[in-house]
Amino acid sequence: MLYIKCPYCGLRAQKEFSYGGDATVKRPNINEEVSSEDWDNFVYMRKSPRGKHIELWQHIAGCRQWIKVQRDTATHEIFQTAKVTEEIR
Amino acid sequence: MSQPFRLNKEGLINRNKKISFTFNGKKLFGYEGDTIASALIANGIHLVGRSFKYHRPRGFFGAGVEEPNAKLQVEFNGHSEPNVNATEMELVEGLSVTSQNCWPSVNFDVGAINNFLKMFFPAGFYYKTFMWPKSFWYKIYEPFIRKAAGLGVASIEKDKERYEHKFEYCDLLVTGSGPSGLASAYAAAKNGAKVILAEDKPRFGGTLLTDDVSIDNLSGKDWAEKIITELKSMPNVTVKNRSQVFGYYDHNMLVMFERVSDHLEKKSKFTPRQRLWYIRAKETILSTGSIERPIVFGNNDTPGIFLSAAAKEYMKVFGVLVGKKPLIFTNNDSAYETALEFKKNNVEPIILDTREEHSSELIDEAKSKGIDIRFSHGVIVANGYKKVKSAKIGKLNKDKNSFEKIETIECDCICVSGFWTPSVHLASQSGNKLKYEEKIDAFIPDKKKQHETSVGAANGSFTLEESLKNGFENGSNLSVKITETKTEITIPNVNEKKYGAHDKFWCMPLPKNENPKRFVDFQNDVSVSDIEIALREGYRSIEHVKRYTTLGMATDQGRTSNLNGLQLVSNIENKIVPEVGHTTFRPPFTPITIGTIVGREVGMEYMPTRKTPMHEWHEKNNAVFVDAGAWKRPRYYKQGNETLFEASKREAKNVRENVGICDVTTLGKIDIKGPDAAEFLNRVYTNAWMKLPVGKARYGLMLREDGIVMDDGTTTRISENHYHMTTTTAQAANVLSHLEYYLQIVWPELNVNVVSTTEQWAGAAIAGPKSRDMLSKLYTDLDVSNDALPFMGYKEAEFFGVPSRIFRISFSGELAYEINVKSDHGMFMWEKMMEVGKEFGNQPYGTEALSTLRIEMGHVAGPELDGRTIPSDVSLNGLVSKKKDFIGKNSLGREAFNVESRQKIVGLIPIDRKSSIPEGSHIVQDQNAKLPNPKLGHVSSSCWSVENNNPFSLAIMKDGKNMIGKKFFAVSPLKNKSIEVEVISSHYVDPEGKRVRS
C-alpha cells in the first residue's frame, strides 16, 4: 500500500485516496473552438510510461483535495507531491 | 503415561503442567511449552503423515517454519483446521490431532500404491497425461485430480472465531529476536526510537536459546532474557512474540500475523484468535536468521531424519530426544554441536563428515569427548519404511563421486546438515535484488530498494560476535537519523566456538544400479530425477523448471529445497548458481489463515450499512429491503401473504389512483454555493442554467467528456448564489468528485463551493392525483395551488413547526412533491404523512413500485444510463443546448454518435400481453436463426404496467425509432425464454406529460 504525502494533511495511507489519471493533460478552454484532433487527444490519448509519471489523486477520505503525485510506475517510488496549483518538475 | 524420549531435566517446558491431547484417536500427553511436534516425538511418534504425490510415510524434519512434512489436521475450540504446522502449533489442553492425506490410516494408506507406481508419476505427469481425450476432462480427470489434490480437509462450518486488523506506525521494526535482532532493537530503543520487535516463536532469543555461547558472562539464553526484560519495560518499545512478519510491501509497509490466543486454554469472548498488523515503519531491520539446508541422499524423507539444528532444538528447548542411536551427517561444523548435545545427554552419536580429516575447535572437542567421527563419509540411503532403522553409508573417494567402501550401520535417526541458507524472503519482497555469496553458497541481500537493513545470519554472517556488532551498529545508526539522540552502548564480550570451513557438498552420489528416490522438495515430492527429466525435456529457465516440477511451490515455499534445487540445475547445466538465478519470493512467508486476512469485515461488518432516518418505521411495517449501494431501501411493504409482484402492483396502482409516499432520502444531495454557481452549473449540465429564477427547480443532464451520460437529477435555486443539486443514489459520490475535479483543477477561477448534504436531509416523495390535497393538509397555512406552486416550483415552509423544503418534482410521472426536512425530523415527517394521508388512501411504496411507475412513463434511470448511452439514445436530446459549451459537448459531434441507425430507446410489449420480458434479453429478428444470431438491441428495464395491465419494457435498440410497429423476439437464454414482442414508444403512459403539470 502506497504512502502518499497529501500537501494539506501529510503522509496518509493509499486507502484514503482515489486515483485520477495523468495530471499533465490540459482540458481545452471552455467556449473556445477546438479541432477534433486536439479534442480526441484530450479525451482519449494517454501515455503509459514506465517510470516517472505525474498523476492526479484525490484525498477522498480526507480533505477531498485533488493533488499531484509524481510516481514511478514501475517501482511505485513517489518523488514529489504538490497542490494542483503548483508545478512539478 | 511415560514419555520414552523425554529427557529428565533439559528444556524450557513447564514440567509442572501436563497437557493431554489425542493423536489419531490415541490419548497422549505433553507439557506446557511443547509444540504438537515435540510432544509427539517425546511419545516416540514419528510417522505423522503421507506425502503429497506418492503417499510415502513422513515424519518431522524441522522444528519451526522450515518444516515441510508435518502438516496436520487439528481440531480445537470446536473447529477443524487443515495443514497446521505441527512444529509451530503449541500444545493446549484437549487438542485433537489427526494425520492428513491418508486412507484408511496413516499406518496403512491405500494411496501409497503411488509410491510403487512412481515410474508413472514423473515430473509433468499431469500435463502429459490429462491432455487427451478432451471429453475425459470433466467427468474423469478433473474429479480425480480434485480428490487427490490438497492435504487436509477445510471446514465447511462457519468460522466462529474473531480476527482483528491493526494499523501501527513505528521508527524501527525488527523482525526476529535472535542476537542481531535483540541488539538492533536495544540500540534503537536506547536512542529513543519507537521500536516494534517481532518474534515468530513463543520464546524470544532465536539461536541464543540453543547455541552454547556466553555474552558478558551470561549464557545466551539469560542474556536474551535480560535484554527482553529491559525492552519490555521501555515505553517506546513494543515486543511481540508469536508474531510473524510475512510480507514486505511498498513504501515500507510490512504485514505481521500475530497468533493471539491459539495457545490459551481459556480466553475472553472478545480476545481475537489472530491479529493482522499493518505496520508502516520508517526503517526495518531484517534479522530473520537462517535455515539449515539438508544434504540430499537416498530415501532422505524417511521418518526419523531431521535437520541437525532441529534435533538440537528438540533437546535444548523441549527436553526431547529425536532418537537414541543418532547418525549425524554433515558437511560443516555446526552439526558437531548437535552431536555434543546428544553426548551430554548420554546418547552416543556417530558423525559422518563429508570433509577429509582435519581439525577445528569443535572437531577437537568432539574427539576429546570420544565421539565416533568418520571423515569423508556420508549416508547413501536410509533403510526403513515407516521409521529409519539403519543406513547404508559410504566412504567417499577423493573425487566425491564414487565410493571407497560401503557398509550398513544401525541407527534410529539421522541428523543432517548441509550448511545454512539466510532467510532473505522479506529482503527480496522489498525489491532487493539478491546477490550470490560464494563463501556460503547462498544468496544474500544486495543493494537496498526500500528502508530495509539485513543483519546477522539473514545477511550471511554466521558468528555471534559479528551478528551482535552488526545489530548494535545498525540499530543505533538507523535510529539516530530519526531521533537525533545517541546513547553509547558498549558491545558485549562474546564467547563462542570457532567454526571451520564447510564443504561444498550437497548431494550424495548413488552406487551403480541403485536407484532410491532422493528428494529435493519434500512437501511436493520433487526428487533429483524429476529435475533431471525437466532439464532433459528442454526446460532451462529456473522459473520454468520450478513450475514444471513444482519444486519450491508448496506451502513451505521451498525453504529447505530451493538452493539444493538450484545447485542441481547448475551442476547439470554446468553453470554457476548466480547464472541460473533464483525464483521469486512472494508473501506470505508462512501460510496465514483466511480469517486473519478478512479480519472483522464479515457478515454485517462486510461493509457499512446506511439507513435512512425512517428505517425503523419501514422495518415495523413489514418492508422488505433491497441494497442500493450501502443503503437499505424498502423494496415493497408486504401485506399478508403478498408476493413481490402483487405488493408492487398494489403500491404502484395506488399511486396512479390515489397517493403514495416514498422514502427518497438516499438520493445524492450536493449543496452548491458561490457567485459563479450558475456559470458552473451551466458548464456541468447540457442544458441552460443561467436564467433559472430563484425558487425554481430544473431537470439537468450531466455528461462525461466523452459524451456519455453520467448522471441526471434536478437542481433547485434556493437563493441568488445557492443551489441544491440532487443526483442518483448510485452516482452521488462520483458526481461530487467530478464537480470537485472541475472546480479545483480545470476552472479554479470559478468562485464556487460544493459539499455533500445527502445525510443532512431526510426526503419523502408524495405522488399521485391526490397528492395536492394531501399536501394542503400538511401545510395548512400555505397556498399549494398550481399557480402558487407550479411544476418545478420550490417553497420553504414549516412542517408542523419544523423547517422544510418543498420541491414540486416528479419521478413517477404523477402530480408529485418531494419534502425535505433535517434528518433528525425524518421520522416525525414520515409519521405525520402517514397520519394525515389516511383520508386520501395514502400508502407507502417501495423501489419496485417506483421502478414500475418510471418505466411505464418512459423515464430513464441506471439501466438505460449504463455508461454506453448519449443523450439522443435515450430521447433526451431536447436537453442538449446548441448555444453554449459544456462538459462533453465536443464529443457529441463524433461520427458514430450521429449515424441514422444508432441505438435508441423504445418500448416493448409482448404480443400475448401476458408474458413478462426478462431484463437483459436480446432482441433478435428470428428466434430460430443460426448462431451467432445478430443482436438488434437489449431489454434494459421491465415492469408490469399497472395503467394498462400488461407487461411493458424499455429497450435500447438499433435504429429504434424506425422500428416502432414492428415485431421481434426478446430472447433470454439464461431464463430459457423467447417472447414475441412489438416495438412501441418508450412513453407508454401520459406521453404528453400532462399529469405532472396538473
Side-chain angles (χ1 to χ4, degrees), chain A residues 1 27 31 39-40 58 64 66 76, chain B residues 251 280 705 737 740 744 885 891 894:
Chain A
M1 196 178 358
R27 190 191 191 279
N31 295 322
W39 184 255
D40 288 352
Q58 190 185 14
R64 295 208 60 92
W66 286 88
H76 292 314
Chain B
H251 297 183
R280 189 78 70 170
E705 292 285 19
S737 271
E740 285 164 337
Q744 291 173 27
D885 197 4
S891 292
R894 301 179 70 84

mmCIF file with all atom_site columns, all heavy atoms in Angstrom, chain A residues 1 27 31 39-40 58 64 66 76, chain B residues 251 280 705 737 740 744 885 891 894:
data_model
loop_
_atom_site.group_PDB
_atom_site.id
_atom_site.type_symbol
_atom_site.label_atom_id
_atom_site.label_alt_id
_atom_site.label_comp_id
_atom_site.label_asym_id
_atom_site.label_entity_id
_atom_site.label_seq_id
_atom_site.pdbx_PDB_ins_code
_atom_site.Cartn_x
_atom_site.Cartn_y
_atom_site.Cartn_z
_atom_site.occupancy
_atom_site.B_iso_or_equiv
_atom_site.pdbx_formal_charge
_atom_site.auth_seq_id
_atom_site.auth_comp_id
_atom_site.auth_asym_id
_atom_site.auth_atom_id
_atom_site.pdbx_PDB_model_num
ATOM 1   N N   . MET A 1 1   ? 0.849   -1.200 0.000   1.00 0.00 ? 1   MET A N   1
ATOM 2   C CA  . MET A 1 1   ? 0.000   0.000  0.000   1.00 0.00 ? 1   MET A CA  1
ATOM 3   C C   . MET A 1 1   ? 0.882   1.246  0.000   1.00 0.00 ? 1   MET A C   1
ATOM 4   O O   . MET A 1 1   ? 1.772   1.372  0.818   1.00 0.00 ? 1   MET A O   1
ATOM 5   C CB  . MET A 1 1   ? -0.921  -0.015 1.217   1.00 0.00 ? 1   MET A CB  1
ATOM 6   C CG  . MET A 1 1   ? -2.039  0.961  1.048   1.00 0.00 ? 1   MET A CG  1
ATOM 7   S SD  . MET A 1 1   ? -3.280  1.076  2.350   1.00 0.00 ? 1   MET A SD  1
ATOM 8   C CE  . MET A 1 1   ? -2.874  -0.111 3.547   1.00 0.00 ? 1   MET A CE  1
ATOM 9   N N   . ARG A 1 27  ? -7.353  20.424 -20.190 1.00 0.00 ? 27  ARG A N   1
ATOM 10  C CA  . ARG A 1 27  ? -8.617  20.481 -20.922 1.00 0.00 ? 27  ARG A CA  1
ATOM 11  C C   . ARG A 1 27  ? -8.647  21.727 -21.805 1.00 0.00 ? 27  ARG A C   1
ATOM 12  O O   . ARG A 1 27  ? -8.277  22.811 -21.353 1.00 0.00 ? 27  ARG A O   1
ATOM 13  C CB  . ARG A 1 27  ? -9.783  20.538 -19.928 1.00 0.00 ? 27  ARG A CB  1
ATOM 14  C CG  . ARG A 1 27  ? -11.137 20.364 -20.608 1.00 0.00 ? 27  ARG A CG  1
ATOM 15  C CD  . ARG A 1 27  ? -12.285 20.677 -19.678 1.00 0.00 ? 27  ARG A CD  1
ATOM 16  N NE  . ARG A 1 27  ? -13.557 20.265 -20.265 1.00 0.00 ? 27  ARG A NE  1
ATOM 17  C CZ  . ARG A 1 27  ? -14.235 20.970 -21.172 1.00 0.00 ? 27  ARG A CZ  1
ATOM 18  N NH1 . ARG A 1 27  ? -13.761 22.126 -21.592 1.00 0.00 ? 27  ARG A NH1 1
ATOM 19  N NH2 . ARG A 1 27  ? -15.375 20.514 -21.666 1.00 0.00 ? 27  ARG A NH2 1
ATOM 20  N N   . ASN A 1 31  ? -15.807 27.234 -24.201 1.00 0.00 ? 31  ASN A N   1
ATOM 21  C CA  . ASN A 1 31  ? -16.270 28.260 -25.150 1.00 0.00 ? 31  ASN A CA  1
ATOM 22  C C   . ASN A 1 31  ? -15.247 28.618 -26.215 1.00 0.00 ? 31  ASN A C   1
ATOM 23  O O   . ASN A 1 31  ? -15.365 29.653 -26.856 1.00 0.00 ? 31  ASN A O   1
ATOM 24  C CB  . ASN A 1 31  ? -16.694 29.542 -24.417 1.00 0.00 ? 31  ASN A CB  1
ATOM 25  C CG  . ASN A 1 31  ? -17.902 29.318 -23.539 1.00 0.00 ? 31  ASN A CG  1
ATOM 26  O OD1 . ASN A 1 31  ? -18.816 28.576 -23.922 1.00 0.00 ? 31  ASN A OD1 1
ATOM 27  N ND2 . ASN A 1 31  ? -17.892 29.930 -22.360 1.00 0.00 ? 31  ASN A ND2 1
ATOM 28  N N   . TRP A 1 39  ? -9.231  17.609 -29.475 1.00 0.00 ? 39  TRP A N   1
ATOM 29  C CA  . TRP A 1 39  ? -10.242 17.106 -28.548 1.00 0.00 ? 39  TRP A CA  1
ATOM 30  C C   . TRP A 1 39  ? -10.033 15.609 -28.290 1.00 0.00 ? 39  TRP A C   1
ATOM 31  O O   . TRP A 1 39  ? -10.063 15.146 -27.152 1.00 0.00 ? 39  TRP A O   1
ATOM 32  C CB  . TRP A 1 39  ? -11.642 17.374 -29.096 1.00 0.00 ? 39  TRP A CB  1
ATOM 33  C CG  . TRP A 1 39  ? -12.714 16.958 -28.129 1.00 0.00 ? 39  TRP A CG  1
ATOM 34  C CD1 . TRP A 1 39  ? -13.501 15.856 -28.227 1.00 0.00 ? 39  TRP A CD1 1
ATOM 35  C CD2 . TRP A 1 39  ? -13.070 17.596 -26.897 1.00 0.00 ? 39  TRP A CD2 1
ATOM 36  N NE1 . TRP A 1 39  ? -14.336 15.772 -27.141 1.00 0.00 ? 39  TRP A NE1 1
ATOM 37  C CE2 . TRP A 1 39  ? -14.100 16.827 -26.306 1.00 0.00 ? 39  TRP A CE2 1
ATOM 38  C CE3 . TRP A 1 39  ? -12.625 18.756 -26.240 1.00 0.00 ? 39  TRP A CE3 1
ATOM 39  C CZ2 . TRP A 1 39  ? -14.684 17.167 -25.079 1.00 0.00 ? 39  TRP A CZ2 1
ATOM 40  C CZ3 . TRP A 1 39  ? -13.216 19.089 -25.029 1.00 0.00 ? 39  TRP A CZ3 1
ATOM 41  C CH2 . TRP A 1 39  ? -14.229 18.314 -24.459 1.00 0.00 ? 39  TRP A CH2 1
ATOM 42  N N   . ASP A 1 40  ? -9.784  14.852 -29.360 1.00 0.00 ? 40  ASP A N   1
ATOM 43  C CA  . ASP A 1 40  ? -9.558  13.411 -29.207 1.00 0.00 ? 40  ASP A CA  1
ATOM 44  C C   . ASP A 1 40  ? -8.328  13.150 -28.342 1.00 0.00 ? 40  ASP A C   1
ATOM 45  O O   . ASP A 1 40  ? -8.326  12.249 -27.503 1.00 0.00 ? 40  ASP A O   1
ATOM 46  C CB  . ASP A 1 40  ? -9.373  12.739 -30.571 1.00 0.00 ? 40  ASP A CB  1
ATOM 47  C CG  . ASP A 1 40  ? -10.687 12.660 -31.324 1.00 0.00 ? 40  ASP A CG  1
ATOM 48  O OD1 . ASP A 1 40  ? -11.725 12.991 -30.720 1.00 0.00 ? 40  ASP A OD1 1
ATOM 49  O OD2 . ASP A 1 40  ? -10.675 12.269 -32.504 1.00 0.00 ? 40  ASP A OD2 1
ATOM 50  N N   . GLN A 1 58  ? -7.081  12.022 -5.590  1.00 0.00 ? 58  GLN A N   1
ATOM 51  C CA  . GLN A 1 58  ? -7.951  12.837 -4.746  1.00 0.00 ? 58  GLN A CA  1
ATOM 52  C C   . GLN A 1 58  ? -7.980  12.246 -3.341  1.00 0.00 ? 58  GLN A C   1
ATOM 53  O O   . GLN A 1 58  ? -8.131  11.032 -3.167  1.00 0.00 ? 58  GLN A O   1
ATOM 54  C CB  . GLN A 1 58  ? -9.384  12.894 -5.293  1.00 0.00 ? 58  GLN A CB  1
ATOM 55  C CG  . GLN A 1 58  ? -10.214 13.946 -4.536  1.00 0.00 ? 58  GLN A CG  1
ATOM 56  C CD  . GLN A 1 58  ? -11.685 13.982 -4.945  1.00 0.00 ? 58  GLN A CD  1
ATOM 57  O OE1 . GLN A 1 58  ? -12.182 13.083 -5.593  1.00 0.00 ? 58  GLN A OE1 1
ATOM 58  N NE2 . GLN A 1 58  ? -12.379 15.034 -4.534  1.00 0.00 ? 58  GLN A NE2 1
ATOM 59  N N   . ARG A 1 64  ? -10.456 15.948 0.717   1.00 0.00 ? 64  ARG A N   1
ATOM 60  C CA  . ARG A 1 64  ? -11.151 15.963 -0.581  1.00 0.00 ? 64  ARG A CA  1
ATOM 61  C C   . ARG A 1 64  ? -10.455 16.826 -1.632  1.00 0.00 ? 64  ARG A C   1
ATOM 62  O O   . ARG A 1 64  ? -11.031 17.123 -2.674  1.00 0.00 ? 64  ARG A O   1
ATOM 63  C CB  . ARG A 1 64  ? -12.622 16.384 -0.431  1.00 0.00 ? 64  ARG A CB  1
ATOM 64  C CG  . ARG A 1 64  ? -13.428 15.371 0.376   1.00 0.00 ? 64  ARG A CG  1
ATOM 65  C CD  . ARG A 1 64  ? -14.890 15.347 -0.006  1.00 0.00 ? 64  ARG A CD  1
ATOM 66  N NE  . ARG A 1 64  ? -15.138 15.012 -1.394  1.00 0.00 ? 64  ARG A NE  1
ATOM 67  C CZ  . ARG A 1 64  ? -15.347 13.775 -1.836  1.00 0.00 ? 64  ARG A CZ  1
ATOM 68  N NH1 . ARG A 1 64  ? -15.331 12.757 -1.019  1.00 0.00 ? 64  ARG A NH1 1
ATOM 69  N NH2 . ARG A 1 64  ? -15.575 13.551 -3.114  1.00 0.00 ? 64  ARG A NH2 1
ATOM 70  N N   . TRP A 1 66  ? -7.919  17.478 -4.674  1.00 0.00 ? 66  TRP A N   1
ATOM 71  C CA  . TRP A 1 66  ? -7.168  16.801 -5.732  1.00 0.00 ? 66  TRP A CA  1
ATOM 72  C C   . TRP A 1 66  ? -5.720  17.254 -5.598  1.00 0.00 ? 66  TRP A C   1
ATOM 73  O O   . TRP A 1 66  ? -5.460  18.431 -5.353  1.00 0.00 ? 66  TRP A O   1
ATOM 74  C CB  . TRP A 1 66  ? -7.717  17.177 -7.104  1.00 0.00 ? 66  TRP A CB  1
ATOM 75  C CG  . TRP A 1 66  ? -9.028  16.531 -7.433  1.00 0.00 ? 66  TRP A CG  1
ATOM 76  C CD1 . TRP A 1 66  ? -10.265 17.001 -7.131  1.00 0.00 ? 66  TRP A CD1 1
ATOM 77  C CD2 . TRP A 1 66  ? -9.212  15.294 -8.110  1.00 0.00 ? 66  TRP A CD2 1
ATOM 78  N NE1 . TRP A 1 66  ? -11.220 16.130 -7.586  1.00 0.00 ? 66  TRP A NE1 1
ATOM 79  C CE2 . TRP A 1 66  ? -10.609 15.075 -8.206  1.00 0.00 ? 66  TRP A CE2 1
ATOM 80  C CE3 . TRP A 1 66  ? -8.354  14.345 -8.671  1.00 0.00 ? 66  TRP A CE3 1
ATOM 81  C CZ2 . TRP A 1 66  ? -11.161 13.947 -8.824  1.00 0.00 ? 66  TRP A CZ2 1
ATOM 82  C CZ3 . TRP A 1 66  ? -8.904  13.238 -9.289  1.00 0.00 ? 66  TRP A CZ3 1
ATOM 83  C CH2 . TRP A 1 66  ? -10.287 13.038 -9.356  1.00 0.00 ? 66  TRP A CH2 1
ATOM 84  N N   . HIS A 1 76  ? 6.901   2.234  -7.983  1.00 0.00 ? 76  HIS A N   1
ATOM 85  C CA  . HIS A 1 76  ? 5.975   2.920  -7.080  1.00 0.00 ? 76  HIS A CA  1
ATOM 86  C C   . HIS A 1 76  ? 6.646   3.995  -6.223  1.00 0.00 ? 76  HIS A C   1
ATOM 87  O O   . HIS A 1 76  ? 6.016   4.549  -5.321  1.00 0.00 ? 76  HIS A O   1
ATOM 88  C CB  . HIS A 1 76  ? 5.252   1.946  -6.143  1.00 0.00 ? 76  HIS A CB  1
ATOM 89  C CG  . HIS A 1 76  ? 4.293   1.046  -6.846  1.00 0.00 ? 76  HIS A CG  1
ATOM 90  N ND1 . HIS A 1 76  ? 3.405   1.503  -7.765  1.00 0.00 ? 76  HIS A ND1 1
ATOM 91  C CD2 . HIS A 1 76  ? 4.112   -0.293 -6.779  1.00 0.00 ? 76  HIS A CD2 1
ATOM 92  C CE1 . HIS A 1 76  ? 2.715   0.497  -8.237  1.00 0.00 ? 76  HIS A CE1 1
ATOM 93  N NE2 . HIS A 1 76  ? 3.132   -0.601 -7.660  1.00 0.00 ? 76  HIS A NE2 1
ATOM 94  N N   . HIS B 2 251 ? 6.557   1.124  0.027   1.00 0.00 ? 251 HIS B N   1
ATOM 95  C CA  . HIS B 2 251 ? 6.717   2.248  0.951   1.00 0.00 ? 251 HIS B CA  1
ATOM 96  C C   . HIS B 2 251 ? 6.841   1.785  2.411   1.00 0.00 ? 251 HIS B C   1
ATOM 97  O O   . HIS B 2 251 ? 6.190   2.325  3.300   1.00 0.00 ? 251 HIS B O   1
ATOM 98  C CB  . HIS B 2 251 ? 5.571   3.253  0.790   1.00 0.00 ? 251 HIS B CB  1
ATOM 99  C CG  . HIS B 2 251 ? 5.565   3.861  -0.592  1.00 0.00 ? 251 HIS B CG  1
ATOM 100 N ND1 . HIS B 2 251 ? 4.685   4.817  -0.984  1.00 0.00 ? 251 HIS B ND1 1
ATOM 101 C CD2 . HIS B 2 251 ? 6.352   3.636  -1.669  1.00 0.00 ? 251 HIS B CD2 1
ATOM 102 C CE1 . HIS B 2 251 ? 4.916   5.156  -2.242  1.00 0.00 ? 251 HIS B CE1 1
ATOM 103 N NE2 . HIS B 2 251 ? 5.925   4.432  -2.669  1.00 0.00 ? 251 HIS B NE2 1
ATOM 104 N N   . ARG B 2 280 ? 3.628   0.452  9.299   1.00 0.00 ? 280 ARG B N   1
ATOM 105 C CA  . ARG B 2 280 ? 4.379   1.374  8.442   1.00 0.00 ? 280 ARG B CA  1
ATOM 106 C C   . ARG B 2 280 ? 5.606   1.771  9.245   1.00 0.00 ? 280 ARG B C   1
ATOM 107 O O   . ARG B 2 280 ? 5.505   2.464  10.254  1.00 0.00 ? 280 ARG B O   1
ATOM 108 C CB  . ARG B 2 280 ? 3.517   2.585  8.119   1.00 0.00 ? 280 ARG B CB  1
ATOM 109 C CG  . ARG B 2 280 ? 4.091   3.497  7.086   1.00 0.00 ? 280 ARG B CG  1
ATOM 110 C CD  . ARG B 2 280 ? 3.915   2.980  5.677   1.00 0.00 ? 280 ARG B CD  1
ATOM 111 N NE  . ARG B 2 280 ? 2.550   3.017  5.212   1.00 0.00 ? 280 ARG B NE  1
ATOM 112 C CZ  . ARG B 2 280 ? 2.199   2.784  3.949   1.00 0.00 ? 280 ARG B CZ  1
ATOM 113 N NH1 . ARG B 2 280 ? 3.105   2.508  3.036   1.00 0.00 ? 280 ARG B NH1 1
ATOM 114 N NH2 . ARG B 2 280 ? 0.934   2.813  3.599   1.00 0.00 ? 280 ARG B NH2 1
ATOM 115 N N   . GLU B 2 705 ? -16.684 13.668 -20.385 1.00 0.00 ? 705 GLU B N   1
ATOM 116 C CA  . GLU B 2 705 ? -16.062 14.371 -21.517 1.00 0.00 ? 705 GLU B CA  1
ATOM 117 C C   . GLU B 2 705 ? -16.185 13.594 -22.818 1.00 0.00 ? 705 GLU B C   1
ATOM 118 O O   . GLU B 2 705 ? -16.097 14.158 -23.894 1.00 0.00 ? 705 GLU B O   1
ATOM 119 C CB  . GLU B 2 705 ? -14.576 14.662 -21.221 1.00 0.00 ? 705 GLU B CB  1
ATOM 120 C CG  . GLU B 2 705 ? -14.337 15.688 -20.111 1.00 0.00 ? 705 GLU B CG  1
ATOM 121 C CD  . GLU B 2 705 ? -14.616 17.142 -20.508 1.00 0.00 ? 705 GLU B CD  1
ATOM 122 O OE1 . GLU B 2 705 ? -15.328 17.396 -21.509 1.00 0.00 ? 705 GLU B OE1 1
ATOM 123 O OE2 . GLU B 2 705 ? -14.121 18.045 -19.794 1.00 0.00 ? 705 GLU B OE2 1
ATOM 124 N N   . SER B 2 737 ? -17.072 14.057 -6.670  1.00 0.00 ? 737 SER B N   1
ATOM 125 C CA  . SER B 2 737 ? -15.660 14.077 -7.088  1.00 0.00 ? 737 SER B CA  1
ATOM 126 C C   . SER B 2 737 ? -15.482 14.779 -8.433  1.00 0.00 ? 737 SER B C   1
ATOM 127 O O   . SER B 2 737 ? -14.523 15.503 -8.660  1.00 0.00 ? 737 SER B O   1
ATOM 128 C CB  . SER B 2 737 ? -15.117 12.649 -7.210  1.00 0.00 ? 737 SER B CB  1
ATOM 129 O OG  . SER B 2 737 ? -14.604 12.215 -5.988  1.00 0.00 ? 737 SER B OG  1
ATOM 130 N N   . GLU B 2 740 ? -15.762 18.470 -7.907  1.00 0.00 ? 740 GLU B N   1
ATOM 131 C CA  . GLU B 2 740 ? -14.544 18.957 -7.250  1.00 0.00 ? 740 GLU B CA  1
ATOM 132 C C   . GLU B 2 740 ? -13.375 19.012 -8.225  1.00 0.00 ? 740 GLU B C   1
ATOM 133 O O   . GLU B 2 740 ? -12.545 19.913 -8.181  1.00 0.00 ? 740 GLU B O   1
ATOM 134 C CB  . GLU B 2 740 ? -14.212 18.051 -6.048  1.00 0.00 ? 740 GLU B CB  1
ATOM 135 C CG  . GLU B 2 740 ? -15.139 18.294 -4.862  1.00 0.00 ? 740 GLU B CG  1
ATOM 136 C CD  . GLU B 2 740 ? -15.097 17.189 -3.822  1.00 0.00 ? 740 GLU B CD  1
ATOM 137 O OE1 . GLU B 2 740 ? -14.726 16.045 -4.159  1.00 0.00 ? 740 GLU B OE1 1
ATOM 138 O OE2 . GLU B 2 740 ? -15.453 17.456 -2.670  1.00 0.00 ? 740 GLU B OE2 1
ATOM 139 N N   . GLN B 2 744 ? -11.478 22.439 -8.747  1.00 0.00 ? 744 GLN B N   1
ATOM 140 C CA  . GLN B 2 744 ? -10.119 22.556 -8.215  1.00 0.00 ? 744 GLN B CA  1
ATOM 141 C C   . GLN B 2 744 ? -9.062  22.600 -9.313  1.00 0.00 ? 744 GLN B C   1
ATOM 142 O O   . GLN B 2 744 ? -8.029  23.247 -9.162  1.00 0.00 ? 744 GLN B O   1
ATOM 143 C CB  . GLN B 2 744 ? -9.813  21.383 -7.268  1.00 0.00 ? 744 GLN B CB  1
ATOM 144 C CG  . GLN B 2 744 ? -10.613 21.434 -5.979  1.00 0.00 ? 744 GLN B CG  1
ATOM 145 C CD  . GLN B 2 744 ? -10.396 20.171 -5.149  1.00 0.00 ? 744 GLN B CD  1
ATOM 146 O OE1 . GLN B 2 744 ? -9.366  19.529 -5.251  1.00 0.00 ? 744 GLN B OE1 1
ATOM 147 N NE2 . GLN B 2 744 ? -11.367 19.813 -4.346  1.00 0.00 ? 744 GLN B NE2 1
ATOM 148 N N   . ASP B 2 885 ? -21.376 25.995 -24.466 1.00 0.00 ? 885 ASP B N   1
ATOM 149 C CA  . ASP B 2 885 ? -20.420 24.895 -24.308 1.00 0.00 ? 885 ASP B CA  1
ATOM 150 C C   . ASP B 2 885 ? -20.663 24.224 -22.955 1.00 0.00 ? 885 ASP B C   1
ATOM 151 O O   . ASP B 2 885 ? -21.143 24.864 -22.016 1.00 0.00 ? 885 ASP B O   1
ATOM 152 C CB  . ASP B 2 885 ? -18.982 25.449 -24.366 1.00 0.00 ? 885 ASP B CB  1
ATOM 153 C CG  . ASP B 2 885 ? -17.959 24.356 -24.623 1.00 0.00 ? 885 ASP B CG  1
ATOM 154 O OD1 . ASP B 2 885 ? -18.366 23.197 -24.836 1.00 0.00 ? 885 ASP B OD1 1
ATOM 155 O OD2 . ASP B 2 885 ? -16.752 24.672 -24.629 1.00 0.00 ? 885 ASP B OD2 1
ATOM 156 N N   . SER B 2 891 ? -17.658 16.051 -27.858 1.00 0.00 ? 891 SER B N   1
ATOM 157 C CA  . SER B 2 891 ? -17.703 14.634 -28.235 1.00 0.00 ? 891 SER B CA  1
ATOM 158 C C   . SER B 2 891 ? -19.001 14.263 -28.950 1.00 0.00 ? 891 SER B C   1
ATOM 159 O O   . SER B 2 891 ? -19.043 13.279 -29.674 1.00 0.00 ? 891 SER B O   1
ATOM 160 C CB  . SER B 2 891 ? -17.546 13.755 -26.995 1.00 0.00 ? 891 SER B CB  1
ATOM 161 O OG  . SER B 2 891 ? -16.246 13.897 -26.469 1.00 0.00 ? 891 SER B OG  1
ATOM 162 N N   . ARG B 2 894 ? -19.189 13.451 -32.719 1.00 0.00 ? 894 ARG B N   1
ATOM 163 C CA  . ARG B 2 894 ? -18.467 12.315 -33.297 1.00 0.00 ? 894 ARG B CA  1
ATOM 164 C C   . ARG B 2 894 ? -19.354 11.546 -34.259 1.00 0.00 ? 894 ARG B C   1
ATOM 165 O O   . ARG B 2 894 ? -20.552 11.401 -34.043 1.00 0.00 ? 894 ARG B O   1
ATOM 166 C CB  . ARG B 2 894 ? -17.988 11.374 -32.199 1.00 0.00 ? 894 ARG B CB  1
ATOM 167 C CG  . ARG B 2 894 ? -17.081 12.037 -31.200 1.00 0.00 ? 894 ARG B CG  1
ATOM 168 C CD  . ARG B 2 894 ? -16.679 11.061 -30.135 1.00 0.00 ? 894 ARG B CD  1
ATOM 169 N NE  . ARG B 2 894 ? -15.777 10.069 -30.699 1.00 0.00 ? 894 ARG B NE  1
ATOM 170 C CZ  . ARG B 2 894 ? -14.466 10.275 -30.828 1.00 0.00 ? 894 ARG B CZ  1
ATOM 171 N NH1 . ARG B 2 894 ? -13.930 11.407 -30.415 1.00 0.00 ? 894 ARG B NH1 1
ATOM 172 N NH2 . ARG B 2 894 ? -13.700 9.370  -31.376 1.00 0.00 ? 894 ARG B NH2 1
#
